[in-house]
Amino acid sequence: MKTRFFLLFFFCLFGAGNGWAAQSADDILAASDAIRNPGRPFSVTVTLTEFQSGKQVDASTLVSYARTEQRGGQFSNLLQFVLPARDAGKLMLKNGNDIWFYDPTNKASVRLSPQQRLLGQASNGDVVTVNLAQDYKATLAGDEEILDGERKQRQAHKLILTAVSPDVTYASIEMWVDADNNRPLKARFYAESSRLLKTAYYRKFQPQLGAERPTETVIIDGLNPQSVTLIRLSDYKARAIPATWMQRDYLPRFQPE
């Protein structure tokens, strides 16, 4: 009898424990965020290239400085435009869900929408570092086999992300996360009207600041698949980023160290 009670206790303890250990949709999303984004202040070079029917039509380069906010765990971002030369020195600041653009020529800052296009299919909200788990509620829609950005078959968790605030970049997102390692693989971004805006593939995972992170994102227009924008991330650096850099009033005085 004692043996039966022991076996029952063992099954309940460890059998139930396996259930508790299963990842929730929010856990999967947070783990995917941790792969996309370093957990420390950092800078990275962001290169955007726009293609129409396979031909390059425009390009832009920025340096992004990102640090997590003390309250809430979301990122604040300061982006400095580097190329083309006509845009050099211009700044874009994301603090909370507010985005500001600063032009040193007229020394004025204006508020931008995160949905506003920066270049090609890339919106302002696509080039800033964001923890999606802070802005969206995730539900697990099931597991699927998909083609990733390298044209390889992957078993993936499909997540449905619903915005928890009206001022985030997208009303909803479908996201596929590698079932083996929580890497982000693919995402579809939707407007409030449920119209597909764009599809993104995360690819070329490389060691960067302590983890294998995607260094390229391919963004395809929701209506015209011939309209493609490539975002490349390079030159990751862990660095101290003062909190004052993330203040709108500091923009005219910003000088990268």
Side-chain angles (χ1 to χ4, degrees), residues 42-249:
F42 70 98
S43 63
V44 64
T45 299
V46 183
T47 304
L48 301 98
T49 310
E50 180 186 4
F51 299 90
Q52 294 292 340
S53 301
K55 181 180 179 181
Q56 180 177 332
V57 295
D58 205 352
S60 181
T61 301
L62 309 90
V63 175
S64 172
Y65 304 90
R67 54 171 284 159
T68 50
E69 300 169 356
Q70 290 186 342
R71 298 179 61 182
Q74 187 55 280
F75 279 92
S76 293
N77 296 253
L78 178 64
L79 294 100
Q80 182 183 30
F81 291 72
V82 178
L83 293 172
R86 66 175 182 271
D87 292 332
K90 295 176 181 176
L91 301 170
M92 186 166 67
L93 170 69
K94 179 182 181 295
N95 190 335
N97 285 326
D98 294 330
I99 296 181
W100 297 94
F101 175 79
Y102 175 77
D103 187 341
T105 302
N106 55 27
K107 302 185 184 305
S109 57
V110 295
R111 192 169 183 174
L112 300 179
S113 161
Q115 296 85 11
Q116 185 174 335
R117 290 193 180 191
L118 178 62
L119 184 137
Q121 301 311 307
S123 304
N124 295 325
D126 294 327
V127 296
V128 297
T129 303
V130 172
N131 279 330
L132 294 174
Q134 298 292 325
D135 290 341
Y136 294 86
K137 175 63 179 174
T139 56
L140 182 60
D143 283 6
E144 296 179 355
E145 191 172 81
I146 67 165
L147 277 179
D148 68 7
E150 312 282 359
R151 308 294 295 172
K152 295 180 180 177
Q153 294 282 350
R154 302 285 184 189
Q155 192 67 23
H157 301 307
K158 180 181 179 181
L159 303 179
I160 306 298
L161 312 186
T162 305
V164 298
S165 169
D167 52 0
V168 298
T169 308
Y170 303 102
S172 63
I173 303 171
E174 291 178 317
M175 190 162 191
W176 288 262
V177 176
D178 195 311
D180 291 332
N181 51 31
N182 291 320
R183 285 181 176 181
L185 298 175
K186 173 183 174 182
R188 287 178 177 155
F189 301 91
Y190 292 89
E192 192 171 4
S193 63
S194 300
R195 180 171 67 89
L196 175 63
L197 298 173
K198 63 189 74 172
T199 300
Y201 290 90
Y202 305 92
R203 67 182 193 181
K204 296 200 174 179
F205 287 78
Q206 298 176 1
Q208 299 288 350
L209 297 183
E212 295 269 338
R213 308 186 192 281
T215 60
E216 284 191 1
T217 303
V218 180
I219 301 177
I220 303 170
D221 183 81
L223 294 176
N224 177 12
Q226 298 302 313
S227 182
V228 176
T229 301
L230 178 65
I231 301 178
R232 288 194 179 97
L233 304 177
S234 61
D235 198 23
Y236 274 93
K237 294 178 182 174
R239 58 176 297 160
I241 296 179
T244 52
W245 288 13
M246 303 301 165
Q247 302 300 318
R248 179 190 175 195
D249 292 343

